[in-house]
Amino acid sequence: MPILSWILLLVTVLLWLGLVVTIAQINASDAAGNGMSYSFGMIMAIVLWCLLAVLMLIAAKKGEMPGWVNIAALLLLPLSLAAGMATINLLYRRGADVSGWPIVVPAAVPLLIVSFVVWATVPTLRAAFPEELMSRAVWGAILVLSLLPWPLLREKNRRVAALQIAYEAAGRAGADSAEQALEAQFQSLSAGTPLREWLVFATAGNDLRERTLAGIRTLPRRQAEAEALTGPDLAMLMYELRNLDLKATSALCATTREFLVAHAESFRAKAPLTARYEIEGSAIETYLFAMQWLGAHDCDLTTAVDSYDSVVRLFPASADREQFLSRLASLRRAPR
């Protein structure tokens, strides 16, 4: 066999060794590392079998072997490659009930092919091992190994599918349970329940939210309680201010105005450090609908508008910034 063929043979053996080591450690790292091992294993398997195909071509041209071996190799090389890749899939993320013995497929098949190539191209080895015995033993073993992983892989896929169905069913059951618990909590609300407890449900799904808003509009003390809210409770109120059938009393105007000023000022330190207004824009404009409702109901928002205006102008100019400034300007009109 020419020296270049021996070099190719050496490269093939080294690649085979790397493949076996990679597959053996395919689950030894974290998720990212295991994923890389899986990808490298697949690539190495494809390259290795390409080299094996080249070696078989050399053996067919330079060596001596039965004619039927050419047909067998033509069929079994791609089949054994598929079996090797199936084995990698089988061993990757295998469960505790799946042993690692299928690694024998990608470990043994390349060695059998390399052994056959060496036998076919080295006269002394051909003389030592009968042609038919060597050919039948090698390619028969490759056929058996090429069929081994498929039942195991099919069983693994069946288990994975069953687990997926179980997880989805558990997720649906959990969601149903959570929805039932939320519904039970909602049903416990009454006309005597504080407004802040009702407002929590206004952030739920559409059906519950609409029912919550309808319930709040019937609360006899909603006006007084709204005027007394502070902090996070007042923030929840501001989200739905226009939907609660409240009156824009001087007390409510004062409470919400102070809240809006504090909200605007919370962005003053961020403005010089922000590259674009759009990064903070949605958060800044969170209570725009509430401001529009208050303005339409004769609340004096001058101090709040001034705070937002001065803070927003600290951000770099942009179309979104100018649009919000224009909306703020429309809120400056004097109360009727």
Side-chain angles (χ1 to χ4, degrees):
M1 190 162 61
I3 185 65
L4 290 178
S5 299
W6 285 108
I7 293 175
L8 179 61
L9 186 64
L10 177 61
V11 171
T12 301
V13 171
L14 291 176
L15 185 58
W16 163 81
L17 181 61
L19 175 62
V20 172
V21 171
T22 299
I23 298 175
Q25 299 179 346
I26 199 168
N27 297 306
S29 183
D30 56 17
N34 294 342
M36 291 182 63
S37 295
Y38 173 81
S39 299
F40 284 141
M42 286 295 190
I43 294 172
M44 292 169 72
I46 294 172
V47 175
L48 175 59
W49 257 261
C50 288
L51 293 179
L52 292 173
V54 173
L55 288 174
M56 281 301 301
L57 288 174
I58 293 174
K61 183 177 180 180
K62 301 293 184 180
E64 296 181 9
M65 55 187 184
W68 63 266
V69 170
N70 293 324
I71 299 175
L74 185 63
L75 296 175
L76 290 179
L77 274 173
L79 179 60
S80 60
L81 170 59
M85 298 176 75
T87 300
I88 295 174
N89 276 309
L90 176 64
L91 297 180
Y92 180 53
R93 295 179 179 174
R94 70 178 187 271
D97 57 336
V98 178
S99 65
W101 71 261
I103 196 175
V104 70
V105 176
V109 170
L111 283 184
L112 288 170
I113 295 175
V114 167
S115 299
F116 185 82
V117 169
V118 173
W119 169 84
T121 53
V122 177
T124 55
L125 292 176
R126 289 202 306 273
F129 298 95
E131 182 178 279
E132 282 297 322
L133 177 62
M134 183 68 177
S135 299
R136 291 179 185 276
V138 169
W139 293 101
I142 291 174
L143 175 60
V144 172
L145 289 170
S146 298
L147 298 176
L148 277 180
W150 300 109
L152 298 174
L153 183 61
R154 183 168 59 251
E155 178 61 20
K156 177 186 177 182
N157 290 338
R158 185 195 65 76
R159 289 199 307 273
V160 169
L163 284 174
Q164 183 63 33
I165 292 173
Y167 287 146
E168 291 176 356
R172 288 193 297 270
D176 291 342
S177 177
E179 185 175 343
Q180 292 170 3
L182 191 64
E183 178 65 27
Q185 293 175 21
F186 178 78
Q187 292 297 333
S188 69
L189 299 176
S190 67
T193 303
L195 173 61
R196 66 176 183 276
E197 295 183 21
W198 279 87
L199 287 170
V200 173
F201 292 88
T203 61
N206 287 336
D207 178 63
L208 198 54
R209 175 176 176 274
E210 293 304 322
R211 290 160 61 193
T212 299
L213 295 177
I216 290 175
R217 288 191 287 267
T218 66
L219 297 180
R221 290 181 46 82
R222 66 183 182 282
Q223 183 71 42
E225 291 185 22
E227 294 169 0
L229 292 177
T230 60
D233 296 332
L234 181 52
M236 288 191 294
L237 177 76
M238 295 294 285
Y239 278 117
E240 301 295 346
L241 191 59
R242 57 184 177 152
N243 299 316
L244 304 181
D245 193 24
L246 295 171
K247 295 179 180 179
T249 61
S250 59
L252 184 63
C253 290
T255 297
T256 54
R257 184 167 53 245
E258 292 176 6
F259 175 87
L260 291 168
V261 170
H263 178 255
E265 293 300 322
S266 69
F267 295 93
R268 188 174 295 277
K270 299 179 182 179
L273 306 176
T274 305
R276 295 182 297 114
Y277 171 76
E278 290 74 13
I279 295 174
E280 298 287 349
S282 59
I284 293 173
E285 299 174 21
T286 298
Y287 303 112
L288 179 60
F289 287 136
M291 295 173 69
Q292 290 172 339
W293 183 88
L294 290 166
H297 287 77
D298 295 336
C299 283
D300 183 2
L301 297 178
T302 303
T303 55
V305 171
D306 287 345
S307 291
Y308 278 109
D309 186 271
S310 63
V311 169
V312 169
R313 290 184 186 280
L314 297 175
F315 287 87
S318 70
D320 287 349
R321 191 195 77 158
E322 299 308 314
Q323 184 178 39
F324 184 55
L325 288 173
S326 176
R327 289 175 175 174
L328 287 175
S330 68
L331 296 172
R332 288 185 181 279
R333 62 179 180 271
R336 294 189 296 271

